[in-house]
Amino acid sequence: MNPPQMKMEVPGEEIMIHCQQLVGMLDARINDDFLAVPTGGGAGDRPTTTQSTVGLMLAGTSIDGMLVGGPAFNCQELDQGDVILQVNDEDVTADNLHTKIVGSDVPGTILKLVVQKQDGRTKTATMKKMASAVIADRRKLFETFTALKATAGGGNSQVSGHVDRAVALFTKIMQEDARHEGVIVNNVQCITEDCSAWISQLRSALDLMQVDARDAAKEHDA
């Protein structure tokens, strides 16, 4: 009498399950916001209601103004009078626009706006949120420039000229920083999208391998 045949385990199943777990962990890590920078709160004598901002002033769903040196201004894609249609691919109204812009309220997170220009065109603008404390300091700096110019008065054109040049130089520096950050943001987004696609392909391949291995084990048992 032949001994009873033992059922063959699926070859490499433990390894495939472990690989699937690793793929799941990698997928979760890829979807983390690598650019987010938690902050402790407002700065100076100007308490802020949010931890992050893009420096937009709103009137309903329209852009009423932008703080020079803020992310909205620095992205150079937005203009006063633009109507915001979407925030991070979600339609918005005057009632929920502020909430959608605040979002998770973490400096460094990405904000994507779809706006309608005054000529009817739509345009997408992507920017990285700034800590409210930082933008508050920039606002105070410009207020200082304005006060200095006012103190100089019309009779001292040389001082006024120096202030204007300082403001122009500071604005240029902020714009260059924003362009550099924009390149980083785009690179990270491209890497994330590529990795997500590769993870999906890898997960499908592992599932197929597991099915093939189980089929082979069933044929062996038969």
Side-chain angles (χ1 to χ4, degrees), residues 87-98:
V87 175
N88 293 336
D89 299 319
E90 293 185 11
D91 294 339
V92 293
T93 65
D95 293 330
N96 66 5
L97 178 55
H98 180 263

Side-chain angles (χ1 to χ4, degrees), residues 24-93:
M25 293 168 61
L26 180 59
D27 192 20
R29 189 71 181 92
I30 284 295
N31 287 310
D32 284 347
D33 197 332
F34 298 105
L35 299 174
V37 182
T39 184
D45 55 359
R46 290 178 178 264
T48 56
T49 57
T50 60
Q51 299 295 311
S52 64
T53 182
V54 292
L56 278 176
M57 290 166 276
L58 302 171
T61 57
S62 298
I63 296 176
D64 193 45
M66 293 175 284
L67 181 65
V68 176
F73 178 87
N74 289 344
C75 78
Q76 298 185 301
E77 300 286 350
L78 302 173
D79 298 292
Q80 187 176 16
D82 288 351
V83 177
I84 300 175
L85 304 176
Q86 291 185 338
V87 175
N88 293 336
D89 299 319
E90 293 185 11
D91 294 339
V92 293
T93 65

Side-chain angles (χ1 to χ4, degrees), residues 93-165:
T93 65
D95 293 330
N96 66 5
L97 178 55
H98 180 263
T99 300
K100 293 294 184 183
I101 289 178
V102 172
S104 60
D105 197 24
V106 178
T109 52
I110 304 304
L111 184 74
K112 183 170 74 172
L113 302 179
V114 176
V115 301
Q116 184 177 46
K117 296 290 186 179
Q118 296 187 44
D119 60 5
R121 293 180 299 114
T122 58
K123 194 167 190 178
T124 300
T126 303
M127 63 207 74
K128 188 171 71 169
K129 291 183 180 180
M130 178 184 292
S132 297
V134 175
I135 209 167
D137 288 340
R138 294 184 182 185
R139 184 191 302 118
K140 290 166 66 177
L141 178 59
F142 274 96
E143 289 173 351
T144 301
F145 281 139
T146 301
L148 179 60
K149 190 172 181 179
T151 301
N156 197 331
S157 59
Q158 186 175 10
V159 173
S160 295
H162 286 321
V163 173
D164 288 340
R165 284 190 290 274

